[in-house]
Amino acid sequence: NAGVTQTPKFQVLKTGQSMTLQCAQDMNHEYMSWYRQDPGMGLRLIHYSVGAGITDQGEVPNGYNVSRSTTEDFPLRLLSAAPSQTSVYFCASSPATLGYEQYFGPGTRLTVT
Amino acid sequence: DAKTTQPNSMESNEEEPVHLPCNHSTISGTDYIHWYRQLPSQGPEYVIHGLTSNVNNRMASLAIAEDRKSSTLILHRATLRDAAVYYCILRDGGSNYKLTFGKGTLLTVNP
Protein backbone atom coordinates (compact mmCIF):
# COMPACT_ATOMS: atom_id res chain seq x y z
CA ASN A 1 0.00 0.00 0.00
CA ALA A 2 1.19 3.51 -0.80
CA GLY A 3 -0.88 4.89 2.10
CA VAL A 4 -1.82 8.57 1.78
CA THR A 5 -0.19 10.38 -1.13
CA GLN A 6 -0.20 14.11 -1.80
CA THR A 7 0.80 16.11 -4.85
CA PRO A 8 2.54 18.41 -5.42
CA LYS A 9 5.17 18.47 -2.66
CA PHE A 10 5.89 22.16 -3.20
CA GLN A 11 3.95 24.92 -4.95
CA VAL A 12 4.37 28.66 -5.39
CA LEU A 13 1.33 30.69 -6.43
CA LYS A 14 0.70 34.33 -7.12
CA THR A 15 -2.10 36.10 -5.27
CA GLY A 16 -5.41 35.45 -7.01
CA GLN A 17 -4.39 32.24 -8.75
CA SER A 18 -6.33 29.05 -8.17
CA MET A 19 -5.07 25.50 -7.83
CA THR A 20 -5.97 22.04 -6.58
CA LEU A 21 -4.00 20.05 -4.04
CA GLN A 22 -4.38 16.36 -4.66
CA CYS A 23 -4.83 13.67 -2.00
CA ALA A 24 -5.33 9.96 -2.55
CA GLN A 25 -5.41 6.90 -0.31
CA ASP A 26 -5.43 3.21 -1.20
CA MET A 27 -6.61 1.81 2.14
CA ASN A 28 -10.35 2.05 1.40
CA HIS A 29 -10.80 4.48 4.29
CA GLU A 30 -14.15 6.20 4.61
CA TYR A 31 -12.90 9.26 6.47
CA MET A 32 -10.60 11.83 4.87
CA SER A 33 -9.62 15.29 5.96
CA TRP A 34 -7.46 18.30 5.15
CA TYR A 35 -5.41 20.25 7.69
CA ARG A 36 -3.13 23.25 7.44
CA GLN A 37 -0.13 23.92 9.64
CA ASP A 38 1.34 27.38 10.02
CA PRO A 39 4.87 27.85 11.41
CA GLY A 40 5.20 26.88 15.09
CA MET A 41 1.54 25.89 15.30
CA GLY A 42 -0.47 22.72 15.53
CA LEU A 43 -2.64 21.51 12.68
CA ARG A 44 -6.03 23.08 12.01
CA LEU A 45 -8.85 21.26 10.26
CA ILE A 46 -10.04 22.78 6.97
CA HIS A 47 -12.61 20.31 5.58
CA TYR A 48 -13.41 16.66 6.09
CA SER A 49 -15.45 13.89 4.52
CA VAL A 50 -17.02 10.81 6.08
CA GLY A 51 -17.62 9.09 2.73
CA ALA A 52 -18.04 9.60 -1.00
CA GLY A 53 -20.44 12.45 -1.69
CA ILE A 54 -20.33 13.76 1.89
CA THR A 55 -18.20 16.71 2.99
CA ASP A 56 -18.29 19.16 5.86
CA GLN A 57 -16.43 22.21 7.11
CA GLY A 58 -13.77 22.19 9.76
CA GLU A 59 -12.28 25.00 11.80
CA VAL A 60 -10.84 27.14 8.96
CA PRO A 61 -12.82 26.45 5.73
CA ASN A 62 -12.89 29.93 4.17
CA GLY A 63 -11.13 30.16 0.80
CA TYR A 64 -11.14 26.39 0.22
CA ASN A 65 -13.48 23.96 -1.54
CA VAL A 66 -13.56 20.18 -1.45
CA SER A 67 -15.46 17.37 -3.13
CA ARG A 68 -15.42 13.60 -2.67
CA SER A 69 -16.56 11.77 -5.78
CA THR A 70 -14.67 8.55 -4.97
CA THR A 71 -13.54 6.83 -1.77
CA GLU A 72 -9.89 7.16 -2.83
CA ASP A 73 -9.59 10.87 -3.71
CA PHE A 74 -10.19 14.07 -1.76
CA PRO A 75 -8.87 17.14 -3.61
CA LEU A 76 -8.60 20.57 -1.97
CA ARG A 77 -9.23 23.59 -4.18
CA LEU A 78 -7.93 27.06 -3.47
CA LEU A 79 -10.31 29.41 -5.24
CA SER A 80 -8.28 32.63 -5.22
CA ALA A 81 -4.97 32.26 -3.39
CA ALA A 82 -4.02 34.80 -0.73
CA PRO A 83 -0.72 35.23 1.17
CA SER A 84 -2.56 34.15 4.35
CA GLN A 85 -2.91 30.70 2.78
CA THR A 86 0.86 30.20 2.79
CA SER A 87 1.15 27.06 4.88
CA VAL A 88 1.88 23.33 4.86
CA TYR A 89 -1.17 21.27 3.97
CA PHE A 90 -1.69 17.73 5.21
CA CYS A 91 -4.26 15.22 4.10
CA ALA A 92 -5.32 12.37 6.40
CA SER A 93 -7.52 9.30 6.23
CA SER A 94 -8.90 6.74 8.66
CA PRO A 95 -11.41 3.93 8.84
CA ALA A 96 -14.88 4.90 9.96
CA THR A 97 -14.46 2.82 13.10
CA LEU A 98 -14.36 5.21 16.01
CA GLY A 99 -11.16 5.49 18.00
CA TYR A 100 -9.02 4.41 15.06
CA GLU A 101 -5.81 6.16 14.13
CA GLN A 102 -5.52 8.64 11.29
CA TYR A 103 -2.88 8.24 8.60
CA PHE A 104 -1.28 11.44 7.34
CA GLY A 105 0.28 12.23 4.00
CA PRO A 106 3.73 13.86 3.64
CA GLY A 107 2.29 17.34 3.11
CA THR A 108 2.28 20.04 0.44
CA ARG A 109 4.24 23.22 1.16
CA LEU A 110 2.41 26.14 -0.43
CA THR A 111 3.74 29.67 -0.76
CA VAL A 112 1.52 32.48 -2.02
CA THR A 113 3.33 35.66 -3.09
CA ASP B 1 -13.80 19.99 22.02
CA ALA B 2 -12.21 19.24 25.38
CA LYS B 3 -8.78 20.84 25.70
CA THR B 4 -5.41 19.41 26.67
CA THR B 5 -2.43 21.07 28.34
CA GLN B 6 1.14 19.97 27.62
CA PRO B 7 4.55 21.44 28.44
CA ASN B 8 6.01 23.38 25.54
CA SER B 9 9.26 21.43 25.56
CA MET B 10 11.14 18.61 27.28
CA GLU B 11 14.63 17.18 27.06
CA SER B 12 15.88 13.68 27.45
CA ASN B 13 19.07 11.71 27.02
CA GLU B 14 19.38 8.89 24.57
CA GLU B 15 18.45 5.43 25.91
CA GLU B 16 16.71 6.90 28.96
CA PRO B 17 12.94 6.71 29.57
CA VAL B 18 10.83 9.75 28.79
CA HIS B 19 7.54 10.64 30.46
CA LEU B 20 5.46 13.17 28.52
CA PRO B 21 2.55 14.54 30.59
CA CYS B 22 -0.85 15.75 29.42
CA ASN B 23 -3.63 17.32 31.46
CA HIS B 24 -7.22 17.07 30.27
CA SER B 25 -9.36 18.02 33.25
CA THR B 26 -12.54 18.56 31.17
CA ILE B 27 -12.45 15.16 29.49
CA SER B 28 -15.85 13.56 28.93
CA GLY B 29 -16.72 9.93 29.35
CA THR B 30 -16.69 9.22 25.61
CA ASP B 31 -13.37 10.94 24.81
CA TYR B 32 -10.49 8.77 23.67
CA ILE B 33 -6.96 9.99 24.52
CA HIS B 34 -4.80 9.94 21.39
CA TRP B 35 -1.10 10.68 21.00
CA TYR B 36 0.49 11.63 17.72
CA ARG B 37 4.00 12.79 16.98
CA GLN B 38 5.44 14.86 14.17
CA LEU B 39 9.03 14.44 13.12
CA PRO B 40 10.68 17.40 11.42
CA SER B 41 9.28 18.09 7.93
CA GLN B 42 6.86 15.15 8.09
CA GLY B 43 3.17 14.61 8.63
CA PRO B 44 1.91 13.54 12.06
CA GLU B 45 2.25 9.89 12.95
CA TYR B 46 -0.05 7.93 15.25
CA VAL B 47 1.62 6.73 18.46
CA ILE B 48 -1.01 5.26 20.76
CA HIS B 49 -4.52 5.78 22.12
CA GLY B 50 -6.63 4.65 25.05
CA LEU B 51 -9.92 5.19 26.82
CA THR B 52 -9.62 4.12 30.47
CA SER B 53 -6.96 1.43 30.86
CA ASN B 54 -3.22 1.72 30.38
CA VAL B 55 -2.09 0.68 26.90
CA ASN B 56 1.15 -0.65 25.47
CA ASN B 57 2.31 -1.01 21.90
CA ARG B 58 5.63 -1.36 20.10
CA MET B 59 6.24 2.38 20.15
CA ALA B 60 5.20 3.48 23.62
CA SER B 61 3.01 3.05 26.69
CA LEU B 62 0.10 5.21 27.74
CA ALA B 63 -0.67 5.59 31.42
CA ILE B 64 -4.11 7.04 32.17
CA ALA B 65 -4.98 8.43 35.59
CA GLU B 66 -7.85 6.76 37.39
CA ASP B 67 -10.01 9.91 37.12
CA ARG B 68 -8.90 10.29 33.45
CA LYS B 69 -8.01 13.94 33.98
CA SER B 70 -4.40 13.35 33.01
CA SER B 71 -2.29 10.91 31.08
CA THR B 72 1.38 10.21 30.43
CA LEU B 73 3.03 8.98 27.29
CA ILE B 74 6.05 6.82 28.14
CA LEU B 75 8.90 6.18 25.72
CA HIS B 76 10.86 3.41 27.38
CA ARG B 77 14.23 4.10 25.78
CA ALA B 78 14.50 7.33 23.86
CA THR B 79 16.45 7.34 20.63
CA LEU B 80 17.54 10.27 18.49
CA ARG B 81 14.75 9.32 16.09
CA ASP B 82 12.19 10.06 18.82
CA ALA B 83 12.98 13.77 18.68
CA ALA B 84 9.66 15.27 17.55
CA VAL B 85 6.64 17.30 18.59
CA TYR B 86 4.24 15.11 20.57
CA TYR B 87 0.54 15.95 20.53
CA CYS B 88 -1.97 14.79 23.13
CA ILE B 89 -5.48 14.92 21.62
CA LEU B 90 -8.94 14.10 22.90
CA ARG B 91 -11.11 12.50 20.28
CA ASP B 92 -14.85 12.24 20.83
CA GLY B 93 -15.90 8.61 20.76
CA GLY B 94 -19.43 9.60 19.83
CA SER B 95 -19.62 10.50 16.16
CA ASN B 96 -16.75 12.94 15.85
CA TYR B 97 -13.78 11.86 13.73
CA LYS B 98 -12.00 15.17 14.01
CA LEU B 99 -8.62 15.68 15.69
CA THR B 100 -7.99 19.02 17.36
CA PHE B 101 -4.26 19.68 17.60
CA GLY B 102 -2.69 21.98 20.17
CA LYS B 103 0.94 23.10 20.02
CA GLY B 104 2.24 19.88 21.56
CA THR B 105 5.50 19.19 23.40
CA LEU B 106 8.79 19.50 21.54
CA LEU B 107 10.98 16.62 22.71
CA THR B 108 14.72 17.02 22.32
CA VAL B 109 16.86 13.89 22.70
CA ASN B 110 20.51 14.42 23.56
CA PRO B 111 23.11 11.87 22.43
Side-chain angles (χ1 to χ4, degrees):
Chain A
N1 286 353
V4 179
T5 58
Q6 293 184 238
T7 56
K9 285 188 166 46
F10 301 93
Q11 182 70 49
V12 179
L13 290 178
K14 291 188 183 338
T15 297
Q17 287 185 317
S18 63
M19 79 158 295
T20 299
L21 306 185
Q22 301 292 344
C23 174
Q25 53 92 8
D26 60 359
M27 297 172 282
N28 202 32
H29 287 168
E30 296 89 345
Y31 181 70
M32 296 185 74
S33 56
W34 276 101
Y35 294 85
R36 61 176 287 175
Q37 185 173 33
D38 299 325
M41 305 290 289
L43 281 72
R44 291 184 293 169
L45 183 64
I46 305 172
H47 285 285
Y48 65 98
S49 168
V50 297
I54 306 168
T55 64
D56 206 346
Q57 296 181 351
E59 183 186 351
V60 288
N62 292 340
Y64 307 95
N65 271 359
V66 292
S67 60
R68 184 97 178 268
S69 56
T70 67
T71 300
E72 294 78 20
D73 300 299
F74 191 43
L76 178 72
R77 279 182 282 279
L78 278 70
L79 308 172
S80 175
S84 60
Q85 293 178 304
T86 294
S87 191
V88 181
Y89 291 83
F90 292 100
C91 179
S93 75
S94 74
T97 307
L98 294 171
Y100 252 77
E101 64 198 81
Q102 289 197 15
Y103 297 81
F104 284 82
T108 293
R109 186 174 295 273
L110 176 68
T111 302
V112 183
T113 61
Chain B
D1 292 329
K3 290 190 176 178
T4 62
T5 304
Q6 300 178 251
N8 289 334
S9 62
M10 291 184 65
E11 260 189 68
S12 173
N13 295 321
E14 203 175 6
E15 298 192 2
E16 290 184 356
V18 181
H19 290 236
L20 296 163
C22 181
N23 287 321
H24 29 77
S25 58
T26 59
I27 190 170
S28 74
T30 57
D31 285 336
Y32 285 81
I33 302 161
H34 282 245
W35 284 82
Y36 283 74
R37 71 180 186 182
Q38 188 174 22
L39 279 63
S41 300
Q42 294 190 25
E45 172 188 32
Y46 168 82
V47 177
I48 200 166
H49 77 276
L51 185 61
T52 56
S53 305
N54 294 346
V55 184
N56 300 299
N57 66 20
R58 63 173 179 81
M59 289 181 71
S61 296
L62 176 60
I64 302 172
E66 202 168 322
D67 63 4
R68 299 211 325 128
K69 294 187 176 186
S70 66
S71 61
T72 302
L73 179 70
I74 302 165
L75 307 179
H76 295 287
R77 289 183 69 205
T79 68
L80 296 179
R81 197 193 170 277
D82 291 322
V85 177
Y86 286 79
Y87 298 99
C88 170
I89 299 167
L90 300 183
R91 189 175 183 188
D92 185 355
S95 60
N96 189 339
Y97 300 95
K98 295 180 274 190
L99 297 177
T100 301
F101 287 80
K103 292 188 179 180
T105 296
L106 175 62
L107 175 65
T108 302
V109 180
N110 300 314

